[in-house]
Amino acid sequence: IGINEALTLGFRLEASKQRSNYGLESAFRIGMLGTVGLQLAQSRDQESGTGNAGIFRYSYQERGFNFHFSKYQLSNHYLPIWINSTSDRTRSQNLAGIGYGSLSTGTIDLSTSSTQTFQGVESNAKTLGYSKSLGHNLTFFANLTRITGSEPDKQLTLGLNWYPGKNL
């Protein structure tokens, strides 16, 4: 619900026979300094009990330049509805990125993330991305990612997004 032009508040709820998950969400503009988002959530499971989660997001956009940062932290017993197993779940994640773009050249961005699981496994990823509108309904994108940690990897993703029409 938009409270005013600078503040949006929300509530979410998911439930199954064994588990519920609910939370409060907010997004607010800090004048010309960007946008902050906060989310707090709690889960209750018949077997594992109660868990908590928190997410902080910040983003700034000015003309073609953008910057974003996010951090989320989960307690050991926090379980989303869609998780079937408690093995090797994410405990925390930090993400930061910076980018620049224009209609004529496309958008290029660089991001880095750090993830830690409850079992102590850490991984880091660095991604270089590019996207460019190729016309009214078509966008090309490419991402090159290098992952370090317990399972190092390099990934190249190329793709096209096609939007068949307005509101589709």
Side-chain angles (χ1 to χ4, degrees):
I1 297 173
I3 305 301
N4 56 41
E5 287 189 21
L7 178 63
T8 301
L9 298 176
F11 176 78
R12 64 174 189 74
L13 172 66
E14 303 171 313
S16 68
K17 291 180 182 179
Q18 181 178 330
R19 189 178 305 150
S20 65
N21 189 308
Y22 46 91
L24 299 172
E25 302 176 358
S26 66
F28 50 97
R29 188 178 66 225
I30 313 169
M32 301 299 288
L33 299 177
T35 304
V36 170
L38 297 171
Q39 296 179 359
L40 298 173
Q42 188 171 70
S43 69
R44 293 180 191 244
D45 185 81
Q46 289 178 1
E47 292 179 20
S48 65
T50 301
N52 300 299
I55 300 173
F56 171 83
R57 291 187 176 108
Y58 170 77
S59 63
Y60 174 81
Q61 189 169 358
E62 176 67 31
R63 300 185 189 193
F65 172 77
N66 71 74
F67 169 79
H68 58 92
F69 171 81
S70 66
K71 176 174 184 59
Y72 75 82
Q73 189 79 34
L74 310 174
S75 72
N76 191 33
H77 296 291
Y78 180 79
L79 296 171
I81 295 295
W82 51 268
I83 282 199
N84 295 327
S85 168
T86 58
S87 66
D88 214 19
R89 294 175 299 111
T90 299
R91 171 186 214 137
S92 66
Q93 184 177 56
N94 298 316
L95 172 72
I98 190 168
Y100 181 80
S102 71
L103 289 175
S104 60
T105 62
T107 300
I108 189 163
D109 57 69
L110 179 63
S111 65
T112 182
S113 67
S114 172
T115 304
Q116 183 178 34
T117 68
F118 282 102
Q119 282 68 34
V121 176
E122 291 186 30
S123 66
N124 296 293
K126 296 196 179 3
T127 301
L128 176 63
Y130 175 76
S131 65
K132 171 85 168 98
S133 175
L134 300 177
H136 183 65
N137 295 354
L138 192 62
T139 302
F140 166 78
F141 66 91
N143 292 310
L144 179 60
T145 302
R146 180 174 178 243
I147 301 169
T148 58
S150 62
E151 296 181 27
D153 196 9
K154 292 178 184 168
Q155 302 170 351
L156 174 63
T157 306
L158 302 172
L160 292 172
N161 284 332
W162 174 62
Y163 305 96
K166 188 175 181 178
N167 298 323
L168 295 176

